[in-house]
Amino acid sequence: VDHCILGLKILNQLVDELNIPTTGRTLTQHRKSSVSFRDVCLFKVFQLGLSTLKQLQSRAITASPQQEAIMGEQALSLAVRCLNFDFIGTNPDESTEDVGTIQAPTSWRTLLQDHATTDLLFDFYAKTEPPRSSKAMESIILLSSIRRSLFPTDKDRAAFLGRLIRGIRELLKNQTGLGHQDNYHQFCRLLGRLKANYQLSELVKTDGYLEWLTLAASFS
């Protein structure tokens, strides 16, 4: 288990190093390395982060509670870093907190669209404490920011939005984790992302929209 934790920490640092320009390398050199890493390795790294979360969720990993907490935090950090990767070489100021559109490659479509990915992150949020729960929510924010063109049809995008709305509705109904400041902050960011990335006409068409709207209004 310890070597798994170490491996996750190394991968987190690797993604950071290949995503953020550093002194000693020209921007051209950095971009060349970054693009190569994106095309060859990044998706596999993202899959590894999610598969680690699945193993923790299903208790397939024998570890102490402390080891599970560290591994979960590292796996979630890895997922966040992968989704936050500068896919097209236009990274804005690193100090800005809110992301714009996630320009994930088309080859990521199946995994990002899969309901199991969304369900896994919502479940991890509900069953853990900060910083793991807030990291899970940050992953959901990034998922909600995926570029529109990644979805092959409007129906696929609507189904994806429906899963987000359903997950948020359940959290609001039960006030899951919202007593924690970090979770509360990330949850507010998620609501802001939905407003920015989806049109009202899309939101209105989702199942349970009125209940979601009532709950969101009461929350805010």
Side-chain angles (χ1 to χ4, degrees):
V1 172
D2 287 337
H3 73 270
C4 289
I5 293 171
L6 180 60
L8 289 168
K9 286 181 177 178
I10 291 170
L11 285 172
N12 269 292
Q13 291 176 353
L14 181 65
V15 174
D16 261 355
E17 186 173 329
L18 285 158
N19 190 38
I20 302 168
T22 54
T23 53
R25 283 191 299 179
T26 66
L27 199 56
T28 305
Q29 287 173 326
H30 164 74
R31 194 62 207 148
K32 189 176 179 181
S33 301
S34 180
V35 167
S36 177
F37 180 72
R38 177 200 69 193
D39 293 344
V40 178
C41 302
L42 188 62
F43 184 58
K44 294 174 186 174
V45 174
F46 182 57
Q47 285 178 308
L48 179 67
L50 291 182
S51 64
T52 302
L53 293 176
K54 286 177 189 172
Q55 287 177 300
L56 287 169
Q57 185 189 46
S58 62
R59 299 286 178 185
I61 298 174
T62 305
S64 68
Q66 185 182 12
Q67 287 173 322
E68 282 188 8
I70 295 170
M71 195 178 295
E73 185 180 350
Q74 290 297 324
L76 286 163
S77 292
L78 192 59
V80 167
R81 281 180 166 88
C82 289
L83 289 170
N84 245 335
F85 198 80
D86 185 10
F87 292 104
I88 57 173
T90 56
N91 224 351
D93 182 356
E94 286 293 329
S95 65
T96 56
E97 183 182 52
D98 276 323
V99 295
T101 302
I102 301 299
Q103 300 290 344
T106 305
S107 56
W108 291 41
R109 175 188 288 154
T110 303
L111 183 59
L112 295 178
Q113 261 189 242
D114 189 353
H115 71 87
T117 302
T118 319
D119 292 347
L120 174 68
L121 293 170
F122 271 115
D123 188 63
F124 223 82
Y125 167 83
K127 292 181 178 176
T128 58
E129 300 285 317
R132 284 171 292 163
S133 54
S134 51
K135 279 289 179 190
M137 184 57 68
E138 193 175 349
S139 301
I140 295 166
I141 292 168
L142 293 166
L143 274 184
S144 74
S145 306
I146 295 167
R147 62 185 170 92
R148 177 183 290 270
S149 54
L150 187 78
F151 299 94
T153 67
D154 287 342
K155 185 178 178 181
D156 291 307
R157 180 172 159 89
F160 180 79
L161 175 59
R163 289 193 290 276
L164 289 175
I165 292 295
R166 184 174 66 247
I168 293 170
R169 196 172 67 234
E170 290 306 309
L171 295 185
L172 283 170
K173 261 201 254 185
N174 302 313
Q175 292 291 296
T176 310
L178 296 177
H180 293 287
Q181 186 176 348
D182 287 349
N183 290 348
Y184 186 92
H185 172 65
Q186 295 294 352
F187 190 73
C188 289
R189 287 184 63 210
L190 174 60
L191 294 179
R193 276 290 98 201
L194 287 182
K195 182 182 176 184
N197 286 0
Y198 293 89
Q199 297 174 2
L200 181 60
S201 58
E202 294 175 294
L203 291 166
V204 169
K205 291 176 186 174
T206 57
D207 288 337
Y209 168 74
L210 285 176
E211 184 187 9
W212 175 83
L213 183 64
T214 303
L215 289 164
S218 301
F219 169 76
S220 56

